Amino acid sequence: MTALRSAAVTDVGRRRRNNQDMVLADEPLFAVADGMGGHAGGEVASVTAVEALRASFASSPSADGLEQAVVDANQAVCERGADQPQLRHMGTTMTAVALVEDRDGEVFVVANVGDSRAYLLRDGELTQLTEDHSVPQELFRAGQLTEAEAAVDPRRNQLTRVLGVPGVEPDVQTLIPYRGDRLLLCSDGLYNEVDDGDIASVLRRVPEPDAAARQLVDMANDRGGADNISVVIVDVVDDDGRAEAASAALGQEAPANSTHTGLLSTQERNAQLRAIAAEPDLGERSRPLPPAPPPVQVDLPTRRITVGAVLFVFTLVLILAGAGAAIAWYARASYYVGLDEGRVTIFKGRPGGLLWFRPTVEERTALTSGAVLPARVDDLEAGKPEPSLAEARRYVERIREEAARVAPPPAPPDAESESPPPAPPGATSSTTGPSTAPPATAPPTTASVR
Ligand code: MG
């Protein structure tokens, strides 16, 4: 049977006026909760969550039971917030570990919501077991921040998952415990001040869980203590009286008489927990706090201009420019013959224009609409397309000749002469006009046109 030895320490730190963290070391269940919400909300949230976790897990001490206990803790925080308007925006992280019996034997179950962490020291190597549910860490996992950038990102206090939001579920994992394993649960007040290397060094060197926990808290305070600091250490020892030897294998003796003012022992914190839980009105104990950022959903902004993005935009611009050039060419590459102020005119462009490309006057002729055959006037008004300027000119010439063929002949010198007027030259050789010219008095509309 697996035997454990543990310690839990929480401290207000050097800057905060109250401690909104909560720790639990009640074998086989261990937890750290880091409350938030201002105006006592954070303290109420963490205490409420840990109490609900403990009660729920006690009724079902199993792997599924721990997951359900975190869900129940969330429900408890939500209900407490709904009851008291001043607590409406409170929330808390929760990182919990329980030793439970599984099908294959005893296992550690680790469940977490938020950015409080669980680490494992095994064979001298420190491994972070949990993933932070914070904006920078989500961005890091999405590849938008480096690990170093995420560690110092000013949004690291913005959490993407906390208890106090309906429907939140924990990440859950299991771990087979081996003799000599050392688990560390902590709030961000520790790891934001003490890097993983220094944490690992303390965990290796200080065998007693309580002494190691206190030394880690002292280090965080020595480096600023900007936040509440909570540490829970769980050692895996054997069950036949070799516990001391197992812990001693972790390192050398701790420095004697490690002290720190302001530390609360587990017992003290549990007494505080009971006092707070029994007190319905928390207004007196609350102090104005810096406004805690509400939980946010991760919004992954486009924060970097990648080479791929530049190539995409460049390609898009090329495609659009090519399409624009093709339209411009189509719109401007042809001609048509139309009317402008009553005169036959050659335009460059498409009749009526295309998109924003308007036709322009290329040549204005002396030929008026009244001097061409009426059948041509409709074509001219609609615009008679021609593939080139030369073709357009030939068309103008053609309709000029047509009109001349059907136009009344010049009056003979002698109006009484009966002789018919001479046929216009070329009238019978035209390939596009009528084979014979109609009488001068025939209506022009009878002329055949191409
Ligand atoms: Mg904190």
Side-chain angles (χ1 to χ4, degrees), residues 16 21 34-36 93 115-116 157 187-190 192 227-229:
R16 297 294 175 89
D21 284 2
D34 180 352
M36 65 205 72
T93 70
D115 68 347
S116 294
N157 287 334
S187 61
D188 62 340
L190 175 67
N192 281 339
D227 196 1
N228 306 145
I229 309 154

PDB file of all heavy atoms in Angstrom, residues 16 21 34-36 93 115-116 157 187-190 192 227-229, ligand 1:
ATOM      1  N   ARG A  16       0.150  41.814  -0.959  1.00  0.00           N
ATOM      2  CA  ARG A  16      -1.303  41.695  -0.807  1.00  0.00           C
ATOM      3  C   ARG A  16      -1.704  41.917   0.650  1.00  0.00           C
ATOM      4  O   ARG A  16      -0.931  41.645   1.573  1.00  0.00           O
ATOM      5  CB  ARG A  16      -1.784  40.324  -1.289  1.00  0.00           C
ATOM      6  CG  ARG A  16      -1.541  40.081  -2.769  1.00  0.00           C
ATOM      7  CD  ARG A  16      -2.385  41.032  -3.614  1.00  0.00           C
ATOM      8  NE  ARG A  16      -2.092  40.899  -5.034  1.00  0.00           N
ATOM      9  CZ  ARG A  16      -2.708  40.048  -5.837  1.00  0.00           C
ATOM     10  NH1 ARG A  16      -3.638  39.246  -5.361  1.00  0.00           N
ATOM     11  NH2 ARG A  16      -2.393  39.996  -7.119  1.00  0.00           N
ATOM     12  N   ASP A  21      -5.590  32.650  -1.387  1.00  0.00           N
ATOM     13  CA  ASP A  21      -5.267  31.253  -1.699  1.00  0.00           C
ATOM     14  C   ASP A  21      -5.857  30.340  -0.627  1.00  0.00           C
ATOM     15  O   ASP A  21      -6.144  30.760   0.498  1.00  0.00           O
ATOM     16  CB  ASP A  21      -3.750  31.050  -1.724  1.00  0.00           C
ATOM     17  CG  ASP A  21      -3.099  31.602  -2.979  1.00  0.00           C
ATOM     18  OD1 ASP A  21      -3.813  32.182  -3.814  1.00  0.00           O
ATOM     19  OD2 ASP A  21      -1.870  31.453  -3.101  1.00  0.00           O
ATOM     20  N   ASP A  34      -6.601  29.248  -5.820  1.00  0.00           N
ATOM     21  CA  ASP A  34      -6.164  30.647  -5.840  1.00  0.00           C
ATOM     22  C   ASP A  34      -7.367  31.483  -6.270  1.00  0.00           C
ATOM     23  O   ASP A  34      -7.740  31.505  -7.446  1.00  0.00           O
ATOM     24  CB  ASP A  34      -4.997  30.786  -6.826  1.00  0.00           C
ATOM     25  CG  ASP A  34      -4.474  32.215  -6.926  1.00  0.00           C
ATOM     26  OD1 ASP A  34      -5.109  33.129  -6.353  1.00  0.00           O
ATOM     27  OD2 ASP A  34      -3.447  32.415  -7.596  1.00  0.00           O
ATOM     28  N   GLY A  35      -7.963  32.171  -5.300  1.00  0.00           N
ATOM     29  CA  GLY A  35      -9.203  32.897  -5.572  1.00  0.00           C
ATOM     30  C   GLY A  35      -8.955  34.245  -6.204  1.00  0.00           C
ATOM     31  O   GLY A  35      -7.875  34.827  -6.129  1.00  0.00           O
ATOM     32  N   MET A  36     -10.001  34.760  -6.831  1.00  0.00           N
ATOM     33  CA  MET A  36      -9.945  36.086  -7.457  1.00  0.00           C
ATOM     34  C   MET A  36     -11.357  36.652  -7.480  1.00  0.00           C
ATOM     35  O   MET A  36     -12.339  35.923  -7.325  1.00  0.00           O
ATOM     36  CB  MET A  36      -9.403  35.984  -8.881  1.00  0.00           C
ATOM     37  CG  MET A  36     -10.309  35.217  -9.824  1.00  0.00           C
ATOM     38  SD  MET A  36      -9.443  34.480 -11.200  1.00  0.00           S
ATOM     39  CE  MET A  36      -8.576  33.155 -10.374  1.00  0.00           C
ATOM     40  N   THR A  93      -8.964  29.255  -9.034  1.00  0.00           N
ATOM     41  CA  THR A  93      -8.308  28.120  -9.673  1.00  0.00           C
ATOM     42  C   THR A  93      -8.507  26.896  -8.781  1.00  0.00           C
ATOM     43  O   THR A  93      -8.915  27.017  -7.626  1.00  0.00           O
ATOM     44  CB  THR A  93      -6.797  28.369  -9.820  1.00  0.00           C
ATOM     45  OG1 THR A  93      -6.188  28.323  -8.528  1.00  0.00           O
ATOM     46  CG2 THR A  93      -6.528  29.715 -10.470  1.00  0.00           C
ATOM     47  N   ASP A 115      -4.574  28.350 -13.361  1.00  0.00           N
ATOM     48  CA  ASP A 115      -3.120  28.387 -13.536  1.00  0.00           C
ATOM     49  C   ASP A 115      -2.337  27.964 -12.297  1.00  0.00           C
ATOM     50  O   ASP A 115      -1.122  28.164 -12.260  1.00  0.00           O
ATOM     51  CB  ASP A 115      -2.664  29.775 -14.007  1.00  0.00           C
ATOM     52  CG  ASP A 115      -2.859  30.836 -12.935  1.00  0.00           C
ATOM     53  OD1 ASP A 115      -3.556  30.573 -11.934  1.00  0.00           O
ATOM     54  OD2 ASP A 115      -2.323  31.958 -13.120  1.00  0.00           O
ATOM     55  N   SER A 116      -2.994  27.409 -11.302  1.00  0.00           N
ATOM     56  CA  SER A 116      -2.224  26.778 -10.228  1.00  0.00           C
ATOM     57  C   SER A 116      -1.669  25.468 -10.789  1.00  0.00           C
ATOM     58  O   SER A 116      -2.314  24.820 -11.618  1.00  0.00           O
ATOM     59  CB  SER A 116      -3.113  26.509  -9.011  1.00  0.00           C
ATOM     60  OG  SER A 116      -3.538  27.734  -8.457  1.00  0.00           O
ATOM     61  N   ASN A 157      -2.120  36.978 -15.864  1.00  0.00           N
ATOM     62  CA  ASN A 157      -3.173  36.919 -14.837  1.00  0.00           C
ATOM     63  C   ASN A 157      -4.555  36.707 -15.448  1.00  0.00           C
ATOM     64  O   ASN A 157      -5.531  36.545 -14.715  1.00  0.00           O
ATOM     65  CB  ASN A 157      -3.182  38.209 -14.022  1.00  0.00           C
ATOM     66  CG  ASN A 157      -1.998  38.273 -13.074  1.00  0.00           C
ATOM     67  OD1 ASN A 157      -1.465  37.253 -12.669  1.00  0.00           O
ATOM     68  ND2 ASN A 157      -1.579  39.478 -12.746  1.00  0.00           N
ATOM     69  N   SER A 187       0.468  27.748  -6.142  1.00  0.00           N
ATOM     70  CA  SER A 187      -0.216  28.845  -6.828  1.00  0.00           C
ATOM     71  C   SER A 187       0.817  29.652  -7.609  1.00  0.00           C
ATOM     72  O   SER A 187       2.035  29.462  -7.453  1.00  0.00           O
ATOM     73  CB  SER A 187      -0.963  29.729  -5.826  1.00  0.00           C
ATOM     74  OG  SER A 187      -0.052  30.296  -4.911  1.00  0.00           O
ATOM     75  N   ASP A 188       0.341  30.577  -8.427  1.00  0.00           N
ATOM     76  CA  ASP A 188       1.260  31.348  -9.261  1.00  0.00           C
ATOM     77  C   ASP A 188       2.153  32.274  -8.439  1.00  0.00           C
ATOM     78  O   ASP A 188       3.173  32.751  -8.937  1.00  0.00           O
ATOM     79  CB  ASP A 188       0.497  32.141 -10.329  1.00  0.00           C
ATOM     80  CG  ASP A 188      -0.460  33.163  -9.746  1.00  0.00           C
ATOM     81  OD1 ASP A 188      -0.835  33.028  -8.561  1.00  0.00           O
ATOM     82  OD2 ASP A 188      -0.852  34.101 -10.475  1.00  0.00           O
ATOM     83  N   GLY A 189       1.777  32.520  -7.192  1.00  0.00           N
ATOM     84  CA  GLY A 189       2.632  33.333  -6.333  1.00  0.00           C
ATOM     85  C   GLY A 189       3.990  32.713  -6.108  1.00  0.00           C
ATOM     86  O   GLY A 189       4.961  33.415  -5.806  1.00  0.00           O
ATOM     87  N   LEU A 190       4.104  31.385  -6.291  1.00  0.00           N
ATOM     88  CA  LEU A 190       5.417  30.738  -6.188  1.00  0.00           C
ATOM     89  C   LEU A 190       6.156  30.816  -7.521  1.00  0.00           C
ATOM     90  O   LEU A 190       7.250  31.359  -7.618  1.00  0.00           O
ATOM     91  CB  LEU A 190       5.273  29.273  -5.764  1.00  0.00           C
ATOM     92  CG  LEU A 190       6.615  28.518  -5.752  1.00  0.00           C
ATOM     93  CD1 LEU A 190       7.538  29.057  -4.676  1.00  0.00           C
ATOM     94  CD2 LEU A 190       6.419  27.012  -5.584  1.00  0.00           C
ATOM     95  N   ASN A 192       5.799  32.478 -10.197  1.00  0.00           N
ATOM     96  CA  ASN A 192       6.100  33.772 -10.804  1.00  0.00           C
ATOM     97  C   ASN A 192       7.316  34.438 -10.154  1.00  0.00           C
ATOM     98  O   ASN A 192       7.891  35.370 -10.717  1.00  0.00           O
ATOM     99  CB  ASN A 192       4.892  34.714 -10.701  1.00  0.00           C
ATOM    100  CG  ASN A 192       3.844  34.410 -11.757  1.00  0.00           C
ATOM    101  OD1 ASN A 192       4.137  33.787 -12.778  1.00  0.00           O
ATOM    102  ND2 ASN A 192       2.614  34.842 -11.511  1.00  0.00           N
ATOM    103  N   ASP A 227       2.430  38.239  -4.729  1.00  0.00           N
ATOM    104  CA  ASP A 227       1.111  37.595  -4.699  1.00  0.00           C
ATOM    105  C   ASP A 227       1.060  36.666  -3.495  1.00  0.00           C
ATOM    106  O   ASP A 227       2.082  36.424  -2.837  1.00  0.00           O
ATOM    107  CB  ASP A 227       0.917  36.813  -6.006  1.00  0.00           C
ATOM    108  CG  ASP A 227      -0.536  36.427  -6.255  1.00  0.00           C
ATOM    109  OD1 ASP A 227      -1.405  36.776  -5.424  1.00  0.00           O
ATOM    110  OD2 ASP A 227      -0.798  35.755  -7.273  1.00  0.00           O
ATOM    111  N   ASN A 228      -0.094  36.164  -3.212  1.00  0.00           N
ATOM    112  CA  ASN A 228      -0.201  35.107  -2.209  1.00  0.00           C
ATOM    113  C   ASN A 228       0.586  33.894  -2.706  1.00  0.00           C
ATOM    114  O   ASN A 228       0.641  33.638  -3.916  1.00  0.00           O
ATOM    115  CB  ASN A 228      -1.664  34.701  -1.997  1.00  0.00           C
ATOM    116  CG  ASN A 228      -2.567  35.870  -1.661  1.00  0.00           C
ATOM    117  OD1 ASN A 228      -3.721  35.894  -2.063  1.00  0.00           O
ATOM    118  ND2 ASN A 228      -2.049  36.849  -0.924  1.00  0.00           N
ATOM    119  N   ILE A 229       1.176  33.156  -1.766  1.00  0.00           N
ATOM    120  CA  ILE A 229       2.046  32.030  -2.136  1.00  0.00           C
ATOM    121  C   ILE A 229       1.534  30.775  -1.428  1.00  0.00           C
ATOM    122  O   ILE A 229       1.397  30.778  -0.206  1.00  0.00           O
ATOM    123  CB  ILE A 229       3.509  32.284  -1.699  1.00  0.00           C
ATOM    124  CG1 ILE A 229       3.980  33.667  -2.192  1.00  0.00           C
ATOM    125  CG2 ILE A 229       4.428  31.175  -2.207  1.00  0.00           C
ATOM    126  CD1 ILE A 229       5.083  34.257  -1.330  1.00  0.00           C
TER     127      ILE A 229
HETATM  128 MG    MG B   1      -2.215  34.063  -7.352  1.00  0.00          MG
END
